[in-house]
Amino acid sequence: MLMTTNELVAAGGLDKGEAAALYRLMTWLSPAFPVGGFSYSSGIEWAVEAGDIVDTATLADWLDAMLGDGSGFCDATFLVHAYRAAEADEKTALNEIAELAAAFVPSRERQLETSSQGRAFIDIARAAWDADGLDVMVSACRGPLVYPVAVGVVAAMHGVPLAPTLHAFLHALVSNWISAASRLIPLGQTDSQRVLVRLEAAVASTANRALNATLDDLGSATFRADLASLRHETQYTRLFRS
């Protein structure tokens, strides 16, 4: 029998709201959700060609730095603040957060990556997973919503709790980085999973920091990764768009 949204969802002890939130998170942040994440490497392609990333150990070290000291932490912090502004119906604050997040991207290709994914995420969410107030929140932002801001706004408007949204977002981010690297180094499936295991604590730590961070805490110290995203623009042979 088809379950309706008015009935209690019996899913291993989850109530109706918890089951719906989990279902949506698993869908939105799945590699199958069509935001085009497979097209981007966030500069990893240049790092592989330059010899900075050659195996599981160097990949794990590179991604650990990106998570804790680079774009991972910054994106997580923007997601948190966008979520809270949307949840509180603070449209002016949300617009300011969206503008700052867009300005914080260090290269043209990374700007293309995050803005394209953000636009696709919003468009698909509105078409298939619309929620009351979502259109109003999106309209409050005068510029494009980058990917972490888009995820934060959609999750808030659907009432999906912030902490699991943030952890799922960072897991998806890391998984996409590893997927790109697995095709570039290349890595086998087992080695790719080993890298994901090594980054479990870093994902949790980054999420916890972002939950308590202010916008004044934003900053990046991953200069080599930023240079990689810049140099990728002129890389002769490329599989990825960033």
Side-chain angles (χ1 to χ4, degrees):
M1 182 178 71
L2 181 65
M3 182 71 70
T4 71
T5 56
N6 295 322
E7 298 171 1
L8 183 65
V9 177
L14 297 178
D15 64 27
K16 180 178 65 177
E18 292 169 337
L22 179 60
Y23 187 89
R24 294 173 195 193
L25 274 181
M26 292 174 68
T27 302
W28 295 337
L29 297 170
S30 162
F33 199 68
V35 295
F38 62 88
S39 300
Y40 303 98
S41 80
S42 301
I44 292 171
E45 185 166 21
W46 183 86
V48 171
E49 181 171 302
D52 290 2
I53 299 175
V54 297
D55 53 20
T56 57
T58 50
L59 173 62
D61 288 344
W62 183 277
L63 298 188
D64 182 77
M66 286 181 69
L67 265 175
D69 300 311
S71 60
F73 170 69
C74 294
D75 283 357
T77 302
F78 284 126
L79 187 156
V80 168
H81 284 269
Y83 182 106
R84 289 172 176 161
E87 185 181 44
D89 196 30
E90 296 176 352
K91 299 181 182 65
T92 300
L94 177 60
N95 178 61
E96 292 173 352
I97 292 163
E99 288 182 345
L100 180 61
F104 225 75
V105 183
S107 70
R108 182 181 63 84
E109 287 191 346
R110 281 285 289 119
Q111 180 71 38
L112 170 67
E113 174 182 342
T114 190
S115 60
S116 295
Q117 288 186 261
R119 181 172 58 252
F121 190 88
I122 288 290
D123 289 347
I124 297 161
R126 293 164 84 176
W129 300 83
D130 204 7
D132 292 340
L134 179 57
D135 284 347
V136 174
M137 279 298 156
V138 173
S139 298
C141 299
R142 294 190 290 271
L145 297 184
V146 297
Y147 186 45
V149 173
V151 173
V153 169
V154 170
M157 293 295 94
H158 280 267
V160 179
L162 174 56
T165 297
L166 182 58
H167 279 264
F169 172 82
L170 288 173
H171 180 276
L173 187 67
V174 169
S175 296
N176 192 70
W177 289 342
I178 294 173
S179 176
S182 71
R183 287 172 274 171
L184 291 164
I185 295 174
L187 296 178
Q189 293 181 349
T190 301
D191 280 340
S192 296
Q193 290 302 305
R194 289 190 178 113
V195 176
L196 193 59
V197 169
R198 285 189 58 180
L199 294 171
E200 180 178 348
V203 166
S205 175
T206 300
N208 290 335
R209 283 177 57 212
L211 284 169
N212 296 291
T214 70
L215 293 176
D216 290 335
D217 295 321
L218 285 164
S220 172
T222 50
F223 303 114
R224 187 71 171 171
D226 293 341
L227 286 173
S229 69
L230 289 166
R231 291 177 176 174
H232 186 269
E233 296 179 9
T234 57
Q235 192 169 338
Y236 182 72
T237 302
R238 303 189 304 176
L239 296 177
F240 295 90
R241 301 182 70 189
S242 73

